[in-house]
Amino acid sequence: PPDVEALGRGTWTLLHSIAASYPESPSMSQQSDLLSFVKLFSKLYPCWVCAEDFRTYIGREVPKVESRDNFGKWLCGAHNDVNRKLGKPEFDCSRWQERWRTGWKD
Ligand code: FAD
């Protein structure tokens, strides 16, 4: 259904933008807030099959909240997991900041 796609596009934009604005050296309370957000998000995301698979992913790959780049790469891996499931091309996670924070250089 198209709204799962529009919801997904908008949500990935929000999630990758949160990674882009997350500190390079977050405090303990910022780290615990982000971890809580990811876990609550995985319970509340209004595409239930999507949310269930995302919770499974979180159980397998513990969210890395100790720095911006670690979280951005973890999130990129989560997005690639969905890309693989849907037969979409995988994204090169070494370039997540170019796409979501600094802008493409070429
Ligand atoms: P999207 O996948 O929405 O990506 C948007 C943009 O992000 C792309 O154009 C690209 O520039 C960039 N991008 C792509 N991959 C990455 C990456 N790995 N890291 C960083 N940037 C990237 N849909 C389903 O049908 N079934 C599901 O089970 C499902 N689970 C989902 C789980 C979550 C948590 C979310 C947020 C979405 C889920 N979706 C699911 C929606 C799906 O991922 C897509 O958002 C939707 O199919 C629209 O795809 P799109 O091709 O427009 O690009």
Side-chain angles (χ1 to χ4, degrees), residues 21-31 65-69:
S21 70
Y22 190 61
E24 284 185 78
S25 299
S27 66
M28 291 313 289
S29 93
Q30 287 170 317
Q31 295 182 46
V65 298
E66 60 278 357
S67 72
R68 175 193 299 155
D69 198 51

Side-chain angles (χ1 to χ4, degrees), residues 24-92:
E24 284 185 78
S25 299
S27 66
M28 291 313 289
S29 93
Q30 287 170 317
Q31 295 182 46
S32 111
D33 283 351
L34 184 58
L35 189 59
S36 299
F37 172 79
V38 170
K39 288 181 177 169
L40 286 168
F41 166 86
S42 79
K43 295 190 193 179
L44 297 170
Y45 190 60
C47 159
W48 313 122
V49 287
C50 306
E52 198 178 339
D53 286 355
F54 189 66
R55 288 196 297 276
T56 302
Y57 184 82
I58 289 175
R60 201 167 69 229
E61 299 286 340
V62 177
K64 295 203 176 85
V65 298
E66 60 278 357
S67 72
R68 175 193 299 155
D69 198 51
N70 280 317
F71 182 65
K73 289 199 168 101
W74 176 85
L75 187 63
C76 180
H79 194 162
N80 273 340
D81 195 59
V82 180
N83 289 342
R84 273 191 295 277
K85 183 172 80 175
L86 299 181
K88 293 178 196 271
E90 285 192 43
F91 188 91
D92 174 0

